Amino acid sequence: MTFDDTAIDWLAKLLSDAAIAEIMPRFRRLDEGDIRQKTSAADLVTEADVSAERLITVRLRERYPQAMIVGEEACSDDPALLQGLGEADLAFVIDPVDGTFNFASGVPLFGVMLGVVVKGETVAGIIHDPIGKDWLIGARGAGSHIRHAHGTLEKVHVAEPAPISQMTGAVSWQYMPEPERSRLARNQTKSLSQFGYRCAAHEYRLLASGHAHFVVYNKLMPWDHLAGVLIHAEAGGYAARFDGSTYRPSHVGGGLLVAPDEASWRELRRELWAE
């Protein structure tokens, strides 16, 4: 079966099914053995991540047997699974629990993310909020919407451009090398205010719905960004890597700056990296 826009409803329900079956029953009920460290004490995986990804993967393989499926936890065990994402005819990229640190800490700020890639281009993105029981959905050329739990659709749009002194944003300087780390941490104070959710799903939602202006990410893994960048773009926003090049599914480095428009992107690039 090939992918088309009619599949978005099915995919949205799939993410909700995984949340109902595997994620929410474990929220604030994790045993000590249900949480493990990956690369550090801040990089965790739980039984909810693994089980939700397994359910989503099985359902996707049933419906799309020829598709490439890239799951965060599967790639953690076998990084080679990422190879070929930029050339696949059809690929699904899964973050089963984005914001695992929050989830494992009992903080209700996490999401389920899915990006759809066709021949090296992201064509759809879905972010499901298991707490709010709604979805942020974007499809190439069709805009971005919040699908509320009661079924109504609300079109979203990024914030209007503003001077950096009036912008709200997030800078993930903790993943930067020095001296860039200190420079960005210092220059972030040029903005009006900041946020740091430790959850790309909700950070992209904040930007796409016009409640904040920018984010800076250094660590680029496709499950964290493909859905969000597509949704943000369809909501009218602009994103590029630090060198100004277009962000693509095959990229795992080069950083990412997300802004309301290209002019704002250029101002942020200049001011945040100023000596």
Side-chain angles (χ1 to χ4, degrees):
M1 180 180 289
T2 58
F3 177 81
D4 59 48
D5 289 350
T6 62
I8 289 179
D9 290 344
W10 183 85
L11 292 170
K13 184 177 185 302
L14 173 58
L15 301 192
S16 175
D17 288 348
I20 292 169
E22 303 293 354
I23 298 172
M24 293 309 297
R26 293 180 169 92
F27 184 50
R28 295 179 175 167
R29 296 182 179 88
L30 292 168
D31 294 327
E32 185 175 343
D34 292 334
I35 306 172
R36 303 185 300 279
Q37 288 188 22
K38 291 199 284 190
T39 61
S40 72
D43 184 15
L44 305 177
V45 61
T46 73
E47 189 56 39
D49 297 74
V50 174
S51 297
E53 183 174 304
R54 185 183 301 118
L55 185 155
I56 295 169
T57 299
V58 167
R59 298 270 187 90
L60 286 172
R61 290 204 188 284
E62 290 172 352
R63 185 177 174 101
Y64 299 98
Q66 305 304 316
M68 179 179 184
I69 299 176
V70 177
E72 178 181 6
E73 305 315 329
C75 286
S76 179
D77 294 334
D78 183 6
L81 293 174
L82 264 175
Q83 295 175 8
L85 178 58
E87 296 79 41
D89 288 338
L90 174 63
F92 297 96
V93 180
I94 309 161
D95 192 337
V97 182
D98 183 73
T100 298
F101 184 88
N102 295 340
F103 179 82
S105 304
V107 176
L109 204 60
F110 51 89
V112 189
M113 303 175 75
L114 179 76
V116 184
V117 179
V118 175
K119 298 184 185 300
E121 297 290 339
T122 310
V123 299
I126 304 173
I127 299 174
H128 175 55
D129 177 5
I131 299 293
K133 297 181 181 178
D134 59 12
W135 301 260
L136 181 59
I137 300 173
R140 184 170 296 281
S144 291
H145 300 79
I146 293 175
R147 179 182 294 169
H148 294 284
H150 47 72
T152 61
L153 284 179
E154 176 189 352
K155 188 174 178 61
V156 295
H157 197 279
V158 299
E160 292 297 321
I164 190 171
S165 62
Q166 298 302 308
M167 289 188 190
T168 295
V171 178
S172 295
W173 49 260
Q174 64 269 31
Y175 295 109
M176 305 282 187
E178 291 289 7
E180 193 174 28
R181 174 188 176 109
S182 295
R183 185 184 307 137
L184 284 163
R186 180 184 70 246
N187 286 333
Q188 187 179 6
T189 60
K190 295 178 181 180
S191 65
L192 177 66
S193 61
Q194 63 181 340
F195 61 89
Y197 289 171
R198 301 188 75 151
C199 177
H202 280 279
E203 290 174 351
Y204 278 115
R205 179 174 177 138
L206 202 66
L207 266 67
S209 57
H211 298 296
H213 296 86
F214 71 92
V215 288
V216 176
Y217 295 113
N218 187 53
K219 185 179 178 184
L220 297 188
M221 299 310 292
W223 41 81
D224 288 325
H225 301 291
L226 291 184
V229 169
L230 184 280
I231 290 168
H232 182 262
E234 288 297 323
Y238 182 83
R241 295 200 295 170
F242 295 163
D243 64 2
S245 62
T246 300
Y247 169 60
R248 300 197 180 281
S250 58
H251 292 153
V252 294
L256 187 64
L257 172 57
V258 184
D261 62 4
E262 187 172 359
S264 301
W265 188 96
R266 295 190 183 283
E267 180 186 6
L268 287 161
R269 183 66 178 86
R270 180 179 65 251
E271 294 295 332
L272 291 175
W273 275 264
E275 295 289 349

